[in-house]
Amino acid sequence: NDALKNNKYGKAINCLLDFSKVKLRNGSIDSAMILVFQARNLTLNLEESRSLYYSAACNQLLGDICYTRFIEDESLGFYFLALSQYRQAGDIAGVAEVLNAIAITAIGIERTDISHNALNILSDISELSTDPYIKALEYEARGDLYDAEGKIREAVEMFKTAGDFFNIAGKKEKVSDVILSRAISEFYSGNKTEALALTDSAEQLNKNNQLRRNYLEAVYYRAEFIGQDN
């Protein structure tokens, strides 16, 4: 009975979180947040280990929502809570995702000390893992940190490597993210031609994989680069 109950509520929580992510991608931030809170309420019906995992997933998504709203301090609060819960639940991929998010989010509030600490832990996890997704998360965060420190060539190399690992892991949306991160680094270091070529590459990738939000993001950056170039 407990197993059936956990399965029933787990499926309901997954559906709510998936729907919330769709709403967030479409810009319906309030709707996305309401769905996460509904999911988080359902975690109270689960046995402890499953409740921890799903609570972590809810708090991670609340962190993403706050980040989208540029409320980085609150975002970090949710990410640190999710980090503790994923660790207790023994979910290594969840821990890696949240460490990546902490490292990148802290840059926005000029807390690179937090970024470095998160990246050091993520690097230790990556070193012990054969999972290409976890390795990609480390290289992506490292690229963002290098970019913030003005180390553009190093950042570009990190984003390239992250893209290779995300591709192996089958994470096409994340491949697009790091291609655009490379494009931004290239553009602001004066390499406009390379930046535009990268946005074209991202557009094609997203078109082929029917990733509408990512496609529009690539189109936006191409227009932004062309506009600033004139």
Side-chain angles (χ1 to χ4, degrees):
N1 280 346
D2 281 349
L4 284 171
K5 184 179 80 169
N6 283 329
N7 192 41
K8 181 182 79 172
Y9 284 116
K11 282 182 177 177
I13 292 166
N14 280 331
C15 284
L16 287 165
L17 293 181
D18 286 344
F19 194 25
S20 175
K21 288 172 188 175
V22 170
K23 289 288 187 183
L24 183 59
R25 280 199 296 271
N26 292 337
S28 303
I29 295 174
D30 289 338
S31 297
M33 189 170 280
I34 289 165
L35 288 162
V36 181
F37 283 127
Q38 288 175 353
R40 203 162 68 165
N41 285 339
L42 290 182
T43 65
L44 300 172
N45 298 292
L46 297 169
E47 54 104 11
E48 189 180 2
S49 65
R50 299 311 293 155
S51 178
L52 270 172
Y53 168 78
Y54 283 114
S55 294
C58 291
N59 287 318
Q60 180 183 4
L61 189 45
L62 286 171
D64 293 343
I65 290 168
C66 289
Y67 182 77
T68 302
R69 280 186 153 166
F70 304 103
I71 316 171
E72 285 93 344
D73 284 326
E74 283 192 37
S75 179
L76 283 174
F78 283 118
Y79 286 145
F80 277 116
L81 184 54
L83 178 64
S84 172
Q85 290 168 329
Y86 275 135
R87 186 183 58 76
Q88 290 175 71
D91 189 280
I92 300 301
V95 167
E97 283 182 355
V98 174
L99 286 168
N100 166 281
I102 289 169
I104 293 170
T105 303
I107 293 167
I109 53 171
E110 298 181 356
R111 289 296 307 273
T112 52
D113 56 321
I114 293 175
S115 297
H116 279 290
N117 287 339
L119 190 51
N120 286 341
I121 301 167
L122 180 53
S123 180
D124 288 343
I125 293 169
S126 173
E127 216 170 286
L128 296 170
S129 175
T130 57
D131 185 345
Y133 180 52
I134 290 175
K135 293 187 180 298
L137 291 168
E138 180 203 350
Y139 283 109
E140 180 189 27
R142 201 173 287 284
D144 272 280
L145 193 53
Y146 278 144
D147 186 76
E149 293 173 345
K151 300 173 182 173
I152 303 301
R153 298 327 308 162
E154 291 93 331
V156 166
E157 286 307 312
M158 291 298 106
F159 292 138
K160 273 186 192 172
T161 307
D164 291 340
F165 279 118
F166 279 134
N167 198 41
I168 294 167
K171 305 283 186 181
K172 299 299 182 186
E173 287 190 24
K174 294 297 292 179
V175 173
S176 175
D177 286 347
V178 290
I179 289 173
L180 292 177
S181 293
R182 277 173 63 196
I184 294 163
S185 295
E186 293 285 9
F187 182 80
Y188 287 106
S189 63
N191 300 321
K192 299 179 182 72
T193 304
E194 179 63 17
L196 288 168
L198 286 164
T199 57
D200 287 344
S201 166
E203 279 182 43
Q204 196 58 53
L205 171 78
N206 293 315
K207 196 174 180 180
N208 292 345
N209 290 280
Q210 299 180 315
L211 298 170
R212 182 175 175 274
R213 182 190 67 87
N214 294 73
Y215 176 80
L216 293 174
E217 190 177 18
V219 169
Y220 166 80
Y221 277 112
R222 183 160 58 83
E224 180 84 1
F225 296 159
I226 291 168
Q228 287 196 38
D229 201 18
N230 293 332

